[in-house]
Amino acid sequence: MLTESRTSSRPTWSLLGPAFVAAIAYVDPGNVAANMSAGAKFGFLLVWVILLANVMAGLVQYLSAKLGLTTGRSLPELVADNCRTPTRIAFWVQAELVAVATDLAEVVGGAIALQLLFGLPMLLGGVITGVVSMGLLSVQNRGGQRAFERVIGGLLLIITIGFLASLVVEPPAAGDVLGGMVPRFTGTESLLLATAILGATVMPHVVYLHSGLARDRHGKPEPGAPLRRMLRITRVDVGLAMVVAGGVNLAMLLAAATNLQGVDGTDTIEGAYAAVGNALGPAVALCFAIGLLASGLASSSVGAYAGAMIMQGLLNRSYPLLLRRAVTVIPALVVLAIGFDPTRALVLSQVVLSFGIPFALIPLVRLTSNRALMGENINHRAVTTLGWAVAVLISVLNVVLIYLTVTG
């Protein structure tokens, strides 16, 4: 953790980083499946949904970071402060289920990528994904948060290149992209995909995590000018990270809309990979698979990191990070071992994640609107109103998504 004097004297660029770790959640394998499906089925129709989702995610992540910097405590710690023991334990149980569901999606995504790249069996790919993510976490254990940020930032760069490659080879028409910014739907299925994109945008584990990342990286700046400076830097950090994550998500949809629209079999990641190869050649398909692998590895390690922070904050107990990684990877390996459809596993994991959304967003908006806690950095009334609107909208959309998934 940086001391106050060191933090205040360092240039802005050197203080960026926590938001880029959190941004990994927005380019995970679940996002790949949703965005590619949306573009392949409906072309440019849902471009506006990607943009709206990115704006909402940016607001939520900034509020989380602001909470950690202003109070010097993480969101899970503050939730624990306001709960009796039985409630706190119940809250932890749902948050832990969210962490496990997150891990399942990321490990399955990594296994799919390894199968596409090397033809490995899914179970072996899951084991490799788990082992490599443990290696990434060991960087944080040994080198600290800044070293972990550099590694995750490097993987985010690989993800970005992997999914932007198709746009370089076959760029979309500017008019089509602009037309997709007009809010509209075409039937129930387009509404379902829009709900999936919007509802699954804000991942509860990184809402908890970002408050701790910002606090651990920058400490608790003194009220007044030092804190105001750090909040300005945090807005830049979040803004840049969300531009990158939003650009990657948009690239996925645009690539599918340009090259895969109307092609059969693109409702699975494997099908999308094959279609990309047929349309744009093996080099672009290789970039796609490498980007997917980097996405699975990075998001898996970030998810395990978030789970450890949630346990520490809510239960005041901690276990070695690598031990947690070894335990939480087991459900994903079981799913792969029994031969469960991997794309279906990704969809169901997003449903489980959906249950955790209100438990993260509602406390976040309440706490950042508490003057006794936040002082002069309390949310502006307009921000509070917008925050509640986002929390209610995403929560309602996730209920709709759960219903449509179960009944469909």
Side-chain angles (χ1 to χ4, degrees):
M1 185 186 300
L2 295 175
T3 64
E4 175 59 34
S5 60
R6 287 180 62 198
T7 300
S8 60
S9 63
R10 297 188 64 173
T12 297
W13 65 266
S14 68
L15 299 174
L16 304 178
F20 286 84
V21 175
I24 286 294
Y26 301 104
V27 291
D28 73 352
N31 290 87
V32 176
N35 295 327
M36 296 295 287
S37 294
K41 291 182 179 179
F42 297 103
F44 300 90
L45 180 72
L46 301 180
V47 166
W48 67 275
V49 178
I50 297 284
L51 300 178
L52 177 62
N54 206 55
V55 171
M56 293 194 307
L59 172 65
V60 169
Q61 293 306 139
Y62 173 68
L63 292 181
S64 179
K66 182 175 77 166
L67 181 67
L69 290 171
T70 303
T71 65
R73 295 174 68 77
S74 69
L75 177 57
E77 290 172 337
L78 290 167
V79 169
D81 290 344
N82 292 276
C83 293
R84 295 182 177 181
T85 299
T87 305
R88 181 162 46 85
I89 292 174
F91 198 99
W92 170 75
V93 169
Q94 66 80 27
E96 199 68 42
L97 288 174
V98 165
V100 170
T102 300
D103 213 38
L104 189 149
E106 323 310 15
V107 172
V108 168
I112 292 173
L114 287 169
Q115 185 179 68
L116 296 177
L117 286 167
F118 307 109
L120 298 181
M122 291 293 291
L123 179 57
L124 178 58
V127 171
I128 292 174
T129 301
V131 170
V132 174
S133 64
M134 289 178 71
L136 296 177
L137 289 171
S138 70
V139 172
Q140 195 278 337
N141 272 353
R142 297 180 180 179
Q145 184 175 323
R146 185 56 178 153
F148 185 65
E149 288 174 6
R150 292 191 184 101
V151 171
I152 296 299
L155 288 171
L156 182 58
L157 178 61
I158 293 172
I159 295 167
T160 303
I161 294 172
F163 291 113
L164 287 178
S166 59
L167 297 186
V168 175
V169 174
E170 189 67 37
D176 291 336
V177 178
L178 291 174
M181 294 182 184
V182 179
R184 64 195 190 281
F185 298 105
T186 302
T188 304
E189 191 174 1
S190 67
L191 176 61
L192 172 60
L193 271 172
T195 302
I197 293 171
L198 274 172
T201 291
V202 179
M203 295 289 96
H205 67 291
V206 290
V207 178
Y208 298 120
L209 177 65
H210 203 164
S211 59
L213 287 173
R215 184 270 317 273
D216 291 347
R217 176 73 187 282
H218 304 303
K220 184 179 183 295
E222 291 295 323
L227 179 55
R228 286 194 295 270
R229 175 178 184 257
M230 190 53 60
L231 290 176
R232 286 196 299 272
I233 292 172
T234 297
R235 285 193 288 272
V236 173
D237 192 28
V238 171
L240 291 175
M242 295 314 301
V243 165
V244 173
V248 172
N249 281 311
L250 185 59
M252 296 175 195
L253 187 144
L254 294 181
T258 303
N259 303 290
L260 308 182
Q261 190 173 3
V263 177
D264 292 333
T266 54
D267 54 342
T268 67
I269 292 178
E270 300 93 329
Y273 167 79
V276 166
N278 291 333
L280 300 175
V284 176
L286 177 63
C287 290
F288 175 91
I290 292 174
L292 178 63
L293 177 60
S295 169
L297 295 175
S299 53
S300 181
S301 59
V302 169
Y305 191 0
M309 185 173 291
I310 290 168
M311 175 179 280
Q312 173 65 38
L314 289 172
L315 299 185
N316 197 27
R317 294 181 181 179
S318 61
Y319 295 94
L321 194 53
L322 298 183
L323 176 61
R324 272 195 59 92
R325 163 74 286 177
V327 172
T328 56
V329 77
I330 292 175
L333 296 182
V334 170
V335 168
L336 294 174
I338 63 177
F340 194 82
D341 178 66
T343 300
R344 183 65 176 168
L346 284 175
V347 171
L348 293 178
S349 72
Q350 300 305 305
V351 173
V352 175
L353 284 173
S354 299
F355 285 106
I357 292 285
F359 295 98
L361 292 188
I362 292 174
L364 175 66
V365 178
R366 288 188 62 186
L367 290 168
T368 53
S369 304
N370 185 333
R371 183 173 296 279
L373 185 67
M374 301 296 291
E376 66 175 15
N377 296 301
I378 184 177
N379 291 341
H380 188 278
R381 185 174 298 176
V383 174
T384 297
T385 301
L386 188 57
W388 280 120
V390 170
V392 171
L393 175 62
I394 294 178
S395 298
V396 169
L397 286 174
N398 275 281
V399 172
V400 173
L401 178 60
I402 291 169
Y403 172 77
L404 292 175
T405 301
V406 172
T407 58

